[in-house]
Each structure stands twice: as structure tokens, then as C-alpha cells.
Amino acid sequence: EPEVTQTPSHQVTQMGQEVILRCVPISNHLYFYWYRQILGQKVEFLVSFYNNEISEKSEIFDDQFSVERPDGSNFTLKIRSTKLEDSAMYFCASSELGGSSYEQYFGPGTRLTVT
Amino acid sequence: ILNVEQSPQSLHVQEGDSTNFTCSFPSSNFYALHWYRWETAKSPEALFVMTLNGDEKKKGRISATLNTKEGYSYLYIKGSQPEDSATYLCAFKGAGNMLTFGGGTRLMVKP
């Protein structure tokens, strides 16, 4: 069964460093998403991406964050200068289309630890 | 700010017990309600997407109902098994593609 994959599973970085989290969505899907869960809190939406551009973003997704689909398979989230409060589990998701009845399929997450 | 709440936060049941938990969400601007099953260190697994008031969905021993007028959904598990132990998440979808998640219900089934 097709699945969303994410690398690395765990990333440790120092405050102020740039990190890139990578995702391979399901191959025929057109919509891509990033969510995150800070320990003990709810899963939060960051951004959605369609047709090579951001279609929706939350207040969390400020200028420190960017997303890219550098080739036909990868979808990346870059954090330019990490802060301690960026420590969280980051989930990538994809859906076939963007309508109400379409499931969003999640990857297993990347745990980002900022020290 | 959308408020999606789940109760209880955690639940311990014996194998064979049937159980249910609740997701409450805004009744306005409703497009869909998603249910996920999430085991530690694995991907959240999509269970159901519910869009219509009165919807009932079933997958094996797990079923869900939806009331959009009053803003709640119930998830039922019949005859719980240890492998049902997981966190169950609901997520509200409004007009965009963003999902707003509840805090989850952590279910532990004792053999």
C-alpha cells in the first residue's frame, strides 16, 4: 500500500541553524501539507501546497519557514534559523485532491530537537 | 480560533469491552470531520472522513457517527482488543484544506 515517507526520523540541531525536513508524498497525490505537534499539545497545521505554490498557511508559518517541491517526488520544509520553540514532531501529509471527502495521509513524522 | 475537543483524554478498558469517545467541533462552516488512529512511532492512520449530518461509517469493529447541527461525532469500538490500543484523533475541516485537530483520546486495552 502506498505511504508517505519522511526523513530523517529524528533531527537534532543547534539554535540558529537551518534544517530541512524531507517528505516523499504518495505518488499520484496533488496536495501536500505540513503539520507539527509540540510535546503535550495538539497537532497544528502549518501549510498546504498545491500546483507548486502555497495554498494556505497558518500564523505559525512565518518567514522562518519555507516549503519546496524540488523535483517530482520530494516535498521539503525548511526552517531558516531554528529556535528552541521549534522543537516538535513534524508531520508531512498528502491527499489526492483538495475536496472535503479526500483523506489526508500522514507520514510517521520527524522529531526535531533544537538545543 | 477553532475549538475541537475530545473526551475523555484517556481510557483504560478490558479486552472485550465496547467503548466510545467523543469529538466536539464548531457547527458552523463545517465541511468534514476526519478520524485517525495513531500508534506510537507510526503514521496516523486515516479511519473515516465524514461529511454529511447523520453519516454513519464502519470499518470492522470501529464505527463513527456524525451530528453537524450540534457539532459532535462519536467513535465506537465494539469488543476492544489489545491491538486497538492507540490514540484516536479527530480533525475538523472547514472551507480550506487545513485540518484542526482535537487533543486525542488515548485508549489502552488490557488483555
Side-chain angles (χ1 to χ4, degrees), chain B residues 22-100:
Chain B
T22 307
C23 172
S24 63
F25 51 86
S27 54
S28 60
N29 199 30
F30 174 88
Y31 279 69
L33 195 282
H34 294 236
W35 279 101
Y36 288 88
R37 178 176 178 276
W38 185 19
E39 288 182 72
T40 305
K42 294 188 179 179
S43 304
E45 173 197 350
L47 289 174
F48 306 114
V49 180
M50 309 179 81
T51 57
L52 298 175
N53 185 44
D55 246 358
E56 289 189 25
K57 298 242 176 169
K58 189 174 180 183
K59 187 184 280 191
R61 293 179 290 100
I62 305 177
S63 60
T65 61
L66 180 69
N67 183 324
T68 60
K69 293 189 189 315
E70 295 181 42
Y72 65 83
S73 175
Y74 294 134
L75 190 81
Y76 300 92
I77 302 178
K78 187 177 175 183
S80 303
Q81 299 296 309
E83 58 265 30
D84 296 328
S85 297
T87 296
Y88 291 83
L89 295 169
C90 70
F92 169 90
K93 183 177 178 300
N97 289 315
M98 172 177 82
L99 295 181
T100 301

Side-chain angles (χ1 to χ4, degrees), chain A residues 67-80:
Chain A
V67 289
E68 194 178 27
R69 189 151 161 84
D71 53 42
S73 59
N74 289 284
F75 179 52
T76 62
L77 174 71
K78 184 194 290 187
I79 309 175
R80 286 190 185 81

Side-chain angles (χ1 to χ4, degrees), chain A residues 85-102:
Chain A
E85 54 265 36
D86 293 328
S87 295
M89 182 75 93
Y90 287 80
F91 292 99
C92 173
S94 68
S95 62
E96 194 176 341
L97 292 171
S100 296
S101 60
Y102 289 94

